[in-house]
Amino acid sequence: MPIQIVQSIADARSTCRLQNRQGKSVGLVPTMGFLHEGHLSLVRQARSDNDFVVVSVFVNPTQFLPSEDFDTYPQNFEQDQRLLEDEGVDLIFFPSTKEMYCSSNSTFVEVTGQLTTNLCAISRPHFFRGVATVVAKLFNIVEPDRAYFGHKDAQQLAIIQRMVQDLNFDIEVVPMPIVRDSDGLAKSSRNSYLNPDQRRSSTVLFRALQHAKTLITQGERSSNRILAEMEKMIQATEYTRIDYINIVCTTSFEPQEYINSEVLIAIAVWITNTRLIDSIRIDPANLTS
Ligand code: PAF
């Protein structure tokens, strides 16, 4: 079957409902397009788990501030379409902003509490409301059995899991591992903004996280000491400005003073004008090397 490209909510809904009625499972991969290997790993998992795979391509305006990169966010729909055809995707949902948000739109979904007040929420306070709102809309349109999100956006993933639980969506959220370049940089559509010098500096996010892991493996348990070492390493790297580095509980996202159970070490760094995020989960009871 050739890939279907659908721009209207009504068409996406009726096509997905038909699959449901025929007893077919539907998997959804929400994206903002400009697809890379990270997205494709979600698509492949969705393909192997479901009868019908939907990928949404929508640059969601409500998760950007006026000062952010909404207008310049990288897009290449033809390339996305080719990649998704090669992966055997059934339907691309590619709505316009007008289709997704009518001019009188005044309803938003907001997850509250620690999950949405620290880390990325400090410098991007609007962000998770926009993400939760558009993901809830996509869930209502596609009504998938499963939806796929990467650990790369660890806080986004936790917020969506919370929303699914709190709003009783009958959807399995499938978390997928971070996909990295060979030098450790986590795949991101925004990596395309980096020039070669900035690209070289950008590996410091992964190196700082690996350094933290080494310190913990060697027995260090003080978050402050680990964070200070990471900070030193990043500050010594050209083009960088730290947005945040933090060590938090993987479920509550409360900052942890000491590492006694599984933690998320999360980091956001500006490389000149490009903000990159990365994270690792470390369980001190289960260190491999
Ligand atoms: O992770 C993203 O690309 C976006 O935040 C998402 C989940 C597609 C919502 O716009």
Side-chain angles (χ1 to χ4, degrees):
M1 276 279 280
I3 200 162
Q4 294 182 64
I5 300 168
V6 162
Q7 293 191 284
S8 87
I9 290 173
D11 288 347
R13 176 171 278 146
S14 63
T15 308
C16 295
R17 282 231 172 119
L18 184 64
Q19 308 306 315
N20 277 326
R21 246 183 272 129
Q22 293 173 344
K24 293 188 179 155
S25 58
V26 175
L28 169 67
V29 182
T31 81
M32 298 206 299
F34 210 67
L35 304 176
H36 51 66
E37 275 298 316
H39 297 113
L40 297 182
S41 73
L42 310 184
V43 171
R44 282 173 201 142
Q45 189 64 45
R47 184 65 285 169
S48 89
D49 293 346
N50 301 281
D51 299 314
F52 193 80
V53 176
V54 180
V55 175
S56 59
V57 174
F58 178 63
V59 184
N60 173 36
T62 62
Q63 68 191 73
F64 291 80
L65 278 181
S67 57
E68 294 181 343
D69 56 349
F70 175 68
D71 290 332
T72 53
Y73 195 82
Q75 292 184 66
N76 186 340
F77 185 75
E78 272 158 38
Q79 182 178 292
D80 291 345
Q81 181 183 336
R82 258 196 319 275
L83 290 169
L84 296 176
E85 265 162 4
D86 289 350
E87 297 300 335
V89 164
D90 298 292
L91 185 146
I92 305 177
F93 179 44
F94 182 49
S96 65
T97 301
K98 234 170 85 196
E99 181 71 6
M100 283 300 273
Y101 293 101
C102 65
S103 57
S104 57
N105 188 88
S106 43
T107 304
F108 292 89
V109 176
E110 198 159 348
V111 176
T112 59
Q114 191 61 223
L115 263 184
T116 49
T117 46
N118 66 0
L119 306 184
C120 287
I122 296 170
S123 61
R124 307 188 75 198
H126 58 291
F127 178 69
F128 291 117
R129 184 174 102 136
V131 169
T133 301
V134 80
V135 170
K137 284 161 89 66
L138 291 167
F139 284 178
N140 282 329
I141 295 163
V142 175
E143 297 178 309
D145 296 279
R146 300 182 189 84
Y148 296 78
F149 296 89
H151 271 291
K152 154 87 180 5
D153 298 294
Q155 195 174 7
Q156 167 174 284
L157 170 62
I159 286 166
I160 288 164
Q161 286 169 324
R162 180 81 261 153
M163 177 187 80
V164 163
Q165 206 175 329
D166 291 350
L167 296 185
N168 310 101
F169 280 109
D170 188 14
I171 295 170
E172 182 192 348
V173 173
V174 183
M176 293 292 295
I178 297 178
V179 178
R180 300 180 178 283
D181 283 342
S182 57
D183 61 6
L185 179 66
K187 299 271 187 190
S188 163
S189 304
R190 290 192 170 98
N191 293 350
S192 64
Y193 296 152
L194 303 171
N195 70 28
D197 289 338
Q198 293 163 347
R199 174 64 187 78
R200 266 189 294 280
S201 288
S202 67
T203 59
V204 76
L205 280 87
F206 182 66
R207 287 187 282 111
L209 291 169
Q210 287 307 109
H211 185 51
K213 184 175 177 188
T214 304
L215 293 172
I216 297 169
T217 307
Q218 289 167 352
E220 181 61 82
R221 292 293 179 268
S222 154
S223 294
N224 275 346
R225 279 198 290 270
I226 294 166
L227 294 172
E229 291 251 345
M230 293 173 76
E231 203 173 307
K232 227 171 25 192
M233 213 169 149
I234 297 165
Q235 280 169 349
T237 305
E238 248 190 319
Y239 309 113
T240 63
R241 181 164 52 83
I242 295 171
D243 182 7
Y244 67 76
I245 323 176
N246 214 330
I247 299 181
V248 299
C249 166
T250 49
T251 47
S252 70
F253 276 54
E254 294 278 354
Q256 302 296 290
E257 205 176 330
Y258 294 100
I259 299 166
N260 301 316
S261 54
E262 193 182 32
V263 290
L264 179 80
I265 309 183
I267 177 171
V269 177
W270 287 95
I271 309 287
T272 313
N273 295 322
T274 304
R275 184 175 170 281
L276 300 179
I277 62 171
D278 201 351
S279 60
I280 48 169
R281 290 161 83 99
I282 297 186
D283 183 352
N286 205 356
L287 288 164
T288 44
S289 59

